[in-house]
Each structure stands twice: as structure tokens, then as C-alpha cells.
Amino acid sequence: MSYPRIDLNGALVAITGAARGIGLATARAFVAEGAHVALGDLDEALAVQAAAELGDRAMGHVLDVTDKSSYAAFLDAAAAWRGRPLDVLVNNAGVMPNGAFLAQSDRIDQLTMDVNVYGVIHGMRLALPGMVERGRGHVVNVASLAGKFPIKGLAVYNASKYAVVGLTAATRLEMDATGVSVSAVLPSAVRTELSSGIDYGILPAVDPEDIAAAVVRSVKTRAAETSVPGYVGLVANAAGLVPEPLLKVVRKAAHDDAAITRVDDKVRRAYLDRIEKQ
């Protein structure tokens, strides 16, 4: 369908998990387009510092996406800062613990679902009503190709991203004819702290800036899903048509157990320690 155009020059954009990685790269990309960008992050000091480096078109604010009241305060602060309603919401905040399913802790499993799934739900429930009332707006949910293709060592992360892909698709259908679009961006392995220390072998790695470009582009195309790189999305979709015995051979050759067996524990530990403190 056709959506009302969103002119990014002067638009108000809110991004979660924006103090580093994909979120920060996306903030830079939107500022370059002339948008005013609110950076929300659990690390308030880092979000404020990142916003200061981006100039007067950016603001930093503390945000715990697992707490709906914290999310509401972030969106309220963003609107008050610019004195205008939200045009674009980017649900980017996420965690990715790795390890064998039976070795994972219940607490980290709960954190993964709370951040990766309920963080997205909270954001959409808070932002969409105003967008629908105004008849325009765009939400981008940063999911993952792990939301289409299961990977050993990432079982609960897989579950959370499958949920985001389905949530995005269903909500997009419900928003039909409102003028509001909901899109998913599905990255492959990204060169950020989130995937640090894991050698994914032949799985293509991309940079945060590649994801940022896809997020900004989605405001213009309103595409339902965008995989980065695009061809990997086609491969993930086609994998469901491949007989399981053959797929197992391909998986083995591709080292699909990398998140368990091909990990630099020293490098990875820094990231895992950070999320375990959340």
C-alpha cells in the first residue's frame, strides 16, 4: 500500500540501544539525513556522551526497554525535547547470550525474552497509538536472520528473534490502512560487541553502518522485511525447502555450531559479563 511520506529532514526519531553498535550507527545515519534523534540506552552516561558527539540534533536518555514506564518516559522526553510527535521508532535494543541450551540459566533466558521481545512490544504499544491517530509514522524492529534460521548455541536468542519477526509481520497487517508502517530489518552477523568472540566461519559478517543504512532506507521504501545482506535472507527462506539430511551436511560444513565451539572465551567474556549484570 501507499504510505504518507516521512521527510527525515526535521523528523523526530527515537532509537533504543543507541549508545553503541547498530543503534549508534543508526543514530548517526538519521542525523546525517537531518533528523532529530533521541538515543535511549540502559547506559545513560554513554547515551548522553554519544548524543553530545552527534551535536544539537541528538539527545541521550536513560532507557530500560524491559520497563514500560521507563520506555514511556524516554518517548515523552523525546517529544518534549523537540516539541513535536514521534515520526520514527527504531526498536534496536537486544542481547545475545550464547552457549548450549541445557547450559543456559533461567535468569539469562528471561532477560533475553524481556529485552528482545517485550522491549519491542512495549515500544510499539506506546508509539503506535499516536501514530495511528495522526495517520502517519514508521516503526522499525531490528530482528535478525536468526529469526528465520536456527543456529546451535543461540536457541533462546533464536526464539526471541523468531518472535520479533512474527510480531512485526502481524502488527504490520493490523496497521494496514492506518498510514502507519511496521518493518523488520534482519541482519546477518554484525561486527559489534554483541557477536564479539564468535567465529561464524562462512556466515557473512556486516558492519553496523550496513544495518543503519537499511533502517533509514526502510523509512523510504516501507518494505516489510529487509535482510542484510539481501541474499542471505533468500538462503534462510530457502533452507526450509531443503531435505533435513542434506541440510545437516551443509550445516556441518558451514560450522553451524560456531556459537558453542568456535568462541574466543576471553573476548566473549567481556560482553557476557555486561549483560549478566543487567
Side-chain angles (χ1 to χ4, degrees):
M1 73 168 277
S2 176
Y3 295 97
R5 180 175 176 270
I6 296 175
D7 184 355
L8 287 178
N9 187 19
L12 178 59
V13 179
I15 305 172
T16 71
R20 52 169 66 83
I22 293 172
L24 181 53
T26 301
R28 288 195 186 104
F30 274 115
V31 167
E33 293 280 339
H36 301 287
V37 184
L39 287 71
D41 201 281
L42 197 58
D43 189 333
E44 181 178 18
L46 195 59
V48 170
Q49 177 185 329
E53 292 172 358
L54 290 174
D56 59 6
R57 286 184 175 272
M59 67 158 281
H61 197 278
V62 66
L63 169 62
D64 178 356
V65 298
T66 71
D67 181 343
K68 193 174 182 180
S69 62
S70 174
Y71 209 136
F74 166 59
L75 294 181
D76 287 345
W81 168 55
R82 297 316 307 177
R84 60 168 296 144
L86 187 67
D87 296 290
V88 179
L89 172 64
V90 182
N91 278 311
N92 165 72
V95 296
M96 192 183 80
N98 65 293
F101 173 69
L102 294 179
Q104 294 283 14
S105 73
D106 292 344
R107 190 181 73 80
I108 294 300
D109 288 347
Q110 186 68 56
L111 174 69
T112 302
M113 300 304 287
D114 285 345
V115 174
N116 295 3
V117 181
Y118 281 97
V120 175
I121 291 172
H122 292 331
M124 290 201 295
R125 286 248 171 87
L126 290 165
L128 284 175
M131 290 180 175
V132 170
E133 183 179 352
R134 294 186 294 276
R136 63 191 299 276
H138 183 57
V139 175
V140 188
N141 295 328
V142 179
S144 170
L145 283 165
K148 290 288 190 76
F149 189 78
I151 302 171
K152 294 175 185 176
L154 297 177
V156 177
Y157 178 77
N158 270 129
S160 71
K161 293 303 183 178
Y162 268 76
V164 171
V165 169
L167 175 67
T168 303
T171 308
R172 181 182 176 89
L173 292 175
E174 291 191 22
M175 292 297 106
D176 188 39
T178 67
V180 179
S181 49
V182 184
S183 300
V185 170
L186 285 66
S188 177
V190 187
R191 298 183 184 95
T192 65
E193 186 188 23
L194 191 91
S195 61
S196 59
I198 302 176
D199 178 4
Y200 284 105
I202 66 170
L203 187 67
V206 293
D207 293 312
E209 291 74 18
D210 298 321
I211 313 308
V215 171
V216 172
R217 190 165 61 249
S218 78
V219 181
K220 301 169 184 178
T221 67
R222 308 299 178 91
E225 284 186 4
T226 303
S227 298
V228 185
Y231 74 87
V232 179
L234 297 175
V235 172
N237 288 332
L241 304 176
V242 178
E244 187 176 23
L246 177 57
L247 190 58
K248 284 183 177 180
V249 173
V250 174
R251 281 178 167 279
K252 185 174 181 180
H255 300 289
D256 77 327
D257 60 352
I260 301 174
T261 64
R262 296 161 68 95
V263 181
D264 184 326
D265 291 328
K266 185 176 181 180
V267 173
R268 188 69 184 155
R269 191 70 255 164
Y271 172 71
L272 295 179
D273 283 347
R274 182 166 70 80
I275 66 171
E276 285 171 4
K277 292 175 182 176
Q278 290 184 210

